[in-house]
């Protein structure tokens, strides 16, 4: 099967020489070809270039993209889309003055979602999660990472990870799984965090590794949740089982989680709303990708990740949604890209780099996804006719996506 997209107003994120990520001042450059074509063979990008140089004469399918922009699909490297039910009551409680922390202390928050998930069958959990996955694919996401962490018992954590595995089997986009057993201390371990850490490390982790249910290990390294010491203990155990860290750090307080992540070769450190100069310094020279989650900042009214400080220090930055029932009930990467421009002072070029190639890096798929490069998967967004690509983040409330192709196939 071959598909030829012609008359593309502008083809974005064209990387003839593949890059695994972009950092610092290079993030301001988004290589593109105006008036371009893109040729897809068996789901893989086979050729692209200027229309004036098009030599392909026969193809199974042709798509005319006159007036439209084509770019790689979003790579959403941080989500929790496997969850049961919703938490709109907590949303109303926050409007009425309670804080996220106060809600959690009353048994709401993560523990509320854990209770719901434990009571939900694996099949029902799969159905709810598949709905969300289909929703985000329609919104232009073509690669996604999904975490456990709403189970908090061995059985329920494994149930979540099996649902992720089933999603991976049934959907064409790449899906990476992350084990987040250390997301919160469950009610039956209240006052015995060390006991729960023992359960995570001695019982859950070996089982997860044995069944090959996760690619990465995660922990909520935060005051009132898990300490830097807990984080180091878990990451070192995870490494012994072959799991690379991708961790939640510096969301509400800066306690040294970034340094722990870097020390254990984390693929990414995520959230980073509270960054001290030494936290930025710690990332310098490392292979760890900082990941910002602006729709979480928006929804909780907490500070935005200081993107300018991070990028201006020469570091890379990725953007992801954090789609989850508590802090970010949205998986819309278009909103993330807009919000990064509007609230974090990222340019459209920086935001698109952060949401495509750098997102791909932060979930370990940048060799196959995240740019228009021959040999990569043909996961692309075709926009509606728009004046320029800057219109995408600018028109923040509009859906400018016309078509999403996954492995060259049009998603309905
Ligand atoms: O990434 N911060 C930790 N975990 C999630 C939210 C958890 C929840 O409230 O359900 C996050 O924001
Ligand atoms: Fe998260």
């Amino acid at each position: 099967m071959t598909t030829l997209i012609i008359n593309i107003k502008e083809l974005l994120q064209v990387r003839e020489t593949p890059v695994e990520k972009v950092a610092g001042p290079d993030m301001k450059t988004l290589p593109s070809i105006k008036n371009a074509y893109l040729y897809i063979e068996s789901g893989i990008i086979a050729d692209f270039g200027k229309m004036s140089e098009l030599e392909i004469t026969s193809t199974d399918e042709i798509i005319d993209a006159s007036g439209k922009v084509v770019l790689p699909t979003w790579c959403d490297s941080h989500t929790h889309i496997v969850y049961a039910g919703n938490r709109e009551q907590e949303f109303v409680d926050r409007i009425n003055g309670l804080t996220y922390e106060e809600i959690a202390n009353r048994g709401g928050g993560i523990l509320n979602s854990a209770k719901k998930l434990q009571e939900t069958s694996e099949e029902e959990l799969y159905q709810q999660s598949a709905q969300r996955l289909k929703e985000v694919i329609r919104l232009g996401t073509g690669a996604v990472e999904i975490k456990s962490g709403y189970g908090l018992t061995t059985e329920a954590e494994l149930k979540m990870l099996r649902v992720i595995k089933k999603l991976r089997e049934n959907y064409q986009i790449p899906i990476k799984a992350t084990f987040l057993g250390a997301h919160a201390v469950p009610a039956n371990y209240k006052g015995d965090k060390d006991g729960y850490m023992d359960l995570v490390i001695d019982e859950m982790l070996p089982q997860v590794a044995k069944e090959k249910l996760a690619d990465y290990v995660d922990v909520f390294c935060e005051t009132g949740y898990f300490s830097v010491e807990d984080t180091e203990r878990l990451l070192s155990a995870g490494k012994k089982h072959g799991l690379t860290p991708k961790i939640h750090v510096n969301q509400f307080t800066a306690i040294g989680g970034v340094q722990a992540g870097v020390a254990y070769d984390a693929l990414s450190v995520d959230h980073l709303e509270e960054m001290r100069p030494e936290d930025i310094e710690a990332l310098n020279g490392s292979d760890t990708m900082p990941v910002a989650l602006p729709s979480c900042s928006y929804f909780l009214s907490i500070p935005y990740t200081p993107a300018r400080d991070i990028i201006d220090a020469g570091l890379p930055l990725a953007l992801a949604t954090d789609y989850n029932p508590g802090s970010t009930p949205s998986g819309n990467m278009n909103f993330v890209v807009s919000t990064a421009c509007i609230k974090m002072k990222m340019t459209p070029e920086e935001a698109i780099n952060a949401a495509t190639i750098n997102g791909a890096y932060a979930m370990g798929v940048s060799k196959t996804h995240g740019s228009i490069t021959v040999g990569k998967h043909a996961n692309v967004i075709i926009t509606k006719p728009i004046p320029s690509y800057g219109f995408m983040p600018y028109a923040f409330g509009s859906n400018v996506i016309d078509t999403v192709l996954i492995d060259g196939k049009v998603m309905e």
Side-chain angles (χ1 to χ4, degrees), residues 78-80 147 180 183 218 248 271 293 322 324 327:
H78 181 139
T79 84
H80 309 245
K147 299 171 195 299
L180 176 55
H183 196 192
D218 195 347
H248 284 73
H271 272 290
L293 310 166
D322 199 18
N324 76 73
S327 73

Side-chain angles (χ1 to χ4, degrees), residues 18-20 43-45 72-73 75 142-143 172-176 356-357 360-361 363-380 407:
V19 292
E20 55 172 7
I44 300 291
I45 297 172
T73 47
C75 296
Q172 194 138 13
I173 70 169
I175 297 177
K176 293 286 185 177
T356 56
I357 189 66
Y361 179 91
M363 58 179 289
V365 300
S366 69
K367 285 200 166 62
T368 51
H369 295 80
S371 67
I372 303 296
T373 302
V374 170
K376 283 199 179 184
H377 287 250
N379 290 14
V380 299
D407 289 345

